[in-house]
Structures are given as C-alpha cells and as structure tokens.
Amino acid sequence: MTDQIVITEKTSQAKDVRAAIGTRYGPVLPAEGHLFDLAEPEDVVPAWKRWSTVLLRPEGLYGTKPASGGNKAAKVQAIRQALRQAKRVWLATDCDREGQLIGQEILEHYNYRGRVMRVMFTAQDPQTIRDAFARAKPNAEYAPLYAAAVARRQADQIYNLSLTRTATVTLAKGARAVIGVGRVKTPTLAIVCRRELEIRSFVPEDYFEVVATAETEAGRFRMRHAPKERIRKRADAEAIAAAAEGFSGPLSVRVEDKRQSPPRLHDLPSLQRLCGSRFGWSAARTLEVAQELYDGEGKKVITYPRAETRYLPGSLVPDVPRIVAGLRVGRTYAPIPVPEPPLIRRGAGGVFHDKGLAGASHHAIIPNVNTVAALREVWPRLTADERRLFDVIARAYLAAMMPDFRYRQTTAKLDVRGHEFRAVGRQPIELGWRAAFPDWTPAEERGEDAQLLPSLRDGEATRLLDATVEDKQTRPPPRYNEGTLIEAMQNAWRFVEDSALQERLKEAKGIGTPATRAEIIRGLKAQEFL
C-alpha cells in the first residue's frame, strides 16, 4: 500500500492527471464533486424538524455526512481506505474556492492528520499538470480559501433554509407550496423584477432633433443639433430648422490625435456577455463550451474557464512568444500583424498585473501555452461552437499584444444663432489591435451619424442646407438577456444605496461566482420564475 495519494475533483480530471504523472505521487483517486453534504437542521436540533420562523443556526458549524447519488459512495470508500495508510495527500481539485472545499472537506471529515500538498493548475495538459505538482505548496497556505468556502456553505444552510421556512409558513397561507429563498437566487430574481417594473412604469416622451447638410469647400457632411436639454416641442425644433436653412457662418474645427488600448482579456462573465449577444448562447452554454475546450479529450486548448479576473500574472510574460507563434501558424490568425517582439503591457491599465490578481487563484482565460503548438491537429476535433469560442479567446489574446489603435478625431461645430450644430468623424491612422478584429465595427462608428469628414479648416465658411426635424422618443431600459443579467449579478452593488454594503459587494465581486451564476439562472428558469 502506498504512503501517498492524489485526490482529484472528478473522474475525467483523474484521467488527465494519471496521463501526466502516472503513479509517481501515489494512486490518483477521483471525487465526484462534493462527496459530503451538510447535516440537516433536524439532525442537529430535533425540534427544527417542524417548520417555523426560527433561525436555524447551531452552536457551532453544521457537520458533514456522506452524500448520496451517482457513484459517490464507492468513491468515498476508496478514498477513505487509502487515507488510512497515506502519510501525504496531494489535493489536485479545481483551482477555485469550491475546488478547495471539495478536496479538503474529505480530509476534515475523516480527521486526516498527515501532510497535505495543494496542486493548483489552470490548464489540464500533461506539461501544465507536471509543472503544477512540481510547484505544489503546503495546503495550509490556502486556509483562507477553504474558510471562505466553508463560510459560504454554512451561510447557505443557515439563511437559505431559515428564510425559506419563514417565507413559507408566513406567506403561503396554508397552501401546499414552498416559497424558496436563496442567497443568490432571490436577489437575482429581484434584479429582473426591478427592471420589469421600470419597463412597465415607463412613460415614453417625444423629443426632436434637427439635422442639416453642411456645405464646405472640401465637401459635404451632416451636422446635428441635439442639445442635452432635449427639445420637447416640435414648433421649437421647426423654428431652429428654419433658422438653420441657408445659414452661413464660420466652422469651429478641433482635430485631435487619439489612441485606444486593446480590450481586456476575458473572464467567464465577459465571455458569457459576449456570447449571449453575438451567438445567442445562454450563460450555461458558454460555460459548457469553455469547459470542453479546457478539459475535453484531445482538446485542452484554453486555461481554466471559471475565471473572474481579466489580468495575467507577470510570470506568464515568457509564454507570450510561444502562444502568438502557435496561433499564427494556421491561416485563421496568420494575417494578424502582431509585432515582433509582441507588445507587453504591465500594470492596472495593461495585461500583466500581479496586484490585480490579489486574492484570485486563477487568471484571465487565454490559449493554453502547452497545447497551442498542436492547434492544427486539435482544430478538426472542435465543434463549430468550440471554434467560435476559441476564436473569441485567441483574438482577444493577440489583440492584447498589439499596439494601440490610433485615429484622428475631427469635431466640427457651427453656432446657428445660439444653437450648436455638431459633427464628429474618425479617421484611422494606425489600426493596431483593431487588425485582430477585421469584421468588427464599434458602435460609435456605426449608424447614420458615423461619417468620414472631409478635410476641414478652423474658421472656414460653411453653409447649411436641407434642414429637417427628426422625431425621437425615449425608450425604456431593455430586458435582461442571460449575458447582461450575469453582468448585473457581478455588479450587484449598483442596486444598493448603503455605501458600506456597496463596498462589500464590490469586494465580493457581486453575488454568485463565475461557476454558479449560470446555474442560478437556469434554476430560476426551471422553476418558471423567469
């Protein structure tokens, strides 16, 4: 019998770990998610079996008991048996709070007192796993992560059950129905209800804007009068249009050279927002596809997907040339002009920012450095959706290593008897990172007012023609889709007024976690609340 064992979170993970390290660190034994549940309230206090409006908070913490279902009993037995002989345990569960809990709760339940090492990997290819075992740290260093997971679970048990029972006995009024209250689910539903009430109570208001064609020596373009204080009466707008028709005056022109940094790398919430709007995917679908890219058989082409930070550690700077080179081998990314060497941005406004990762156990989602060289062989194994999502991640990474987008912005203004007419145009100077997204046009460059202005001089004579009044109407806020609801959950501080609670919610990065938000939404839909 070996004196050390490895514990993973699931069977597929155990298979990858075995393929990487064999039995060098002992047999690799998988859990099946949580192998232990918390005791029920009535197991702690028999009187709590009867539902009432009491806080179900025991003297200490709720204890744990083996979970049922699936193949959990057999896996618990196998790990328990191995722990009796093991002098050292290597915890190789997922690198997040819940992964820490899944592994460590087994050891706590059986009062294991041997040495415990924590293995943290953010990709599941063999090389990453081997490197992670070589860099393993004492599990005691992750005590705060485990404490946070225990606190979350105990709070759910105490408050979710207490509030569910209280709501049911006071509000159900004798009906045989349970009114479920959840720490994340209930405020998520409240966010949607709040928006729905805003929409239902919204009263649209008419307003007006005036547009005209400006004629200059260099050419024609459109100018608009759209003051911050909206024009509420058509007669007022028509009077301004009449004053503008045929008006001549000196043009005020300001030309500025501007630059725009690339968008930040993706975390799971940003991927869910983008895929929801671009592909119509549910939040759960985005996570499902990302998970397959992360640990799917013969794939493993991205890093850990349940990320909630958009920075990378400085230690990954040396990987940049390998990832860029691996991506640009194929025809898809070869045309993207990443500079040689790639541009490395550090600090809060950049990509590599160690302080921005404080308290996080994983980084932004990027292509896996150890499998990117084999992307040509992996590509045929990817489904259409997997290719779409990988493309989003790959282009974001390449863009992050490219120069700023530089452009010249021209702002032209004309004072028409005290009414300002305005036109804004952009002219690209250097595409920079925008070359990574050749088919994408930002919102400010789309629509009827997006125009390339002629070469204008400050003070040159301008004449307005064809002045017309446009009818406008205010619109209610849009209903949430799954992507924008994920964003609202992440920024839940916006929905509270107390400044201390706002700061606490910011620190906690909202309600739910990247791993649970999609499931919360799916649960609300299954219960027909949404």
Side-chain angles (χ1 to χ4, degrees), residues 384-445:
D385 281 353
E386 288 164 5
R387 291 178 185 179
R388 285 191 192 100
L389 187 57
F390 182 83
D391 187 71
V392 167
I393 295 166
R395 289 183 186 275
Y397 186 87
L398 292 173
M401 310 305 161
M402 297 172 69
D404 289 351
F405 167 55
R406 294 176 54 234
Y407 61 96
R408 182 163 292 126
Q409 180 166 295
T410 302
T411 304
K413 298 179 182 178
L414 183 64
D415 188 329
V416 180
R417 300 184 176 92
H419 304 292
E420 182 183 271
F421 279 69
R422 191 169 182 267
V424 179
R426 278 185 174 188
Q427 184 176 8
I429 300 172
E430 181 185 352
L431 274 181
W433 62 265
R434 285 273 295 269
F437 306 98
D439 300 324
W440 171 71
T441 304
E444 60 268 22
E445 296 178 20

Side-chain angles (χ1 to χ4, degrees), residues 74-365:
K75 290 178 176 176
V76 166
Q77 183 59 28
I79 294 173
R80 182 184 184 185
Q81 193 71 28
L83 286 175
R84 290 173 177 165
Q85 304 295 325
K87 295 179 182 177
R88 179 182 296 178
V89 172
W90 301 81
L91 286 185
T93 47
D94 278 356
C95 62
D96 58 7
R97 185 180 69 184
E98 214 59 22
Q100 187 69 29
L101 178 61
I102 286 170
Q104 194 167 338
E105 69 181 352
I106 302 170
L107 308 182
E108 297 290 339
H109 185 86
Y110 291 120
N111 296 311
Y112 179 75
R113 292 295 174 259
R115 190 175 183 193
V116 182
M117 301 296 292
R118 184 65 165 104
V119 183
M120 290 282 201
F121 43 84
T122 55
Q124 280 194 204
D125 62 280
Q127 187 59 51
T128 299
I129 292 172
R130 285 192 289 269
D131 291 345
F133 271 86
R135 295 193 309 266
K137 297 179 180 179
N139 189 56
E141 294 189 20
Y142 297 93
L145 193 62
Y146 177 66
V150 169
R152 190 277 308 160
R153 200 181 196 195
Q154 294 285 331
D156 278 352
Q157 179 85 340
I158 294 166
Y159 296 103
N160 290 6
L161 292 182
S162 298
L163 290 169
T164 292
R165 291 184 177 198
T166 297
T168 300
V169 300
T170 58
L171 302 176
K173 302 188 184 303
R176 296 180 63 85
V178 173
I179 299 176
V181 178
R183 176 180 54 87
V184 180
K185 192 176 289 186
T186 300
T188 300
L189 180 60
I191 288 171
V192 179
C193 289
R194 176 176 175 153
R195 174 60 58 86
E196 187 66 25
L197 290 173
E198 288 177 13
I199 293 169
R200 293 187 184 192
S201 62
F202 183 82
V203 178
E205 294 183 0
D206 295 329
Y207 66 100
F208 306 92
E209 293 178 358
V210 182
V211 294
T213 298
E215 188 178 63
T216 67
E217 187 178 322
R220 291 185 169 195
F221 58 95
R222 285 166 63 84
M223 301 192 80
R224 178 178 294 273
H225 176 60
K228 288 184 179 179
E229 289 293 325
R230 289 173 172 156
I231 305 170
R232 300 294 182 182
K233 297 179 180 178
R234 171 173 271 279
D236 293 342
E238 288 174 343
I240 295 170
E245 184 63 40
F247 178 86
S248 295
L251 198 62
S252 172
V253 178
R254 186 174 78 247
V255 180
E256 300 172 281
D257 285 353
K258 294 193 171 186
R259 58 197 313 133
Q260 186 179 48
S261 299
R264 296 169 69 188
L265 297 172
H266 285 293
D267 58 5
L268 181 59
S270 70
L271 277 184
Q272 288 169 321
R273 285 197 304 274
L274 187 147
C275 293
S277 63
R278 185 177 298 179
F279 309 137
W281 293 359
S282 67
R285 176 60 180 161
T286 302
L287 178 54
E288 177 187 323
V289 176
Q291 189 70 33
E292 185 65 20
L293 288 172
Y294 169 65
D295 63 7
E297 182 70 32
K299 298 169 186 176
K300 302 176 177 58
V301 289
I302 66 168
T303 57
Y304 189 67
R306 291 175 167 83
E308 197 170 18
T309 177
R310 303 179 74 171
Y311 290 118
L312 297 177
S315 61
L316 296 189
V317 169
D319 294 343
V320 173
R322 288 174 59 194
I323 295 177
V324 170
L327 290 173
R328 297 189 69 225
V329 165
R331 288 178 300 174
T332 303
Y333 307 115
I336 298 176
V338 182
E340 180 59 45
L343 185 62
I344 303 300
R345 291 178 173 82
R346 299 178 186 269
V351 177
F352 299 93
H353 185 42
D354 289 330
K355 288 185 179 179
L357 290 163
S361 52
H362 34 75
H363 53 67
I365 306 166

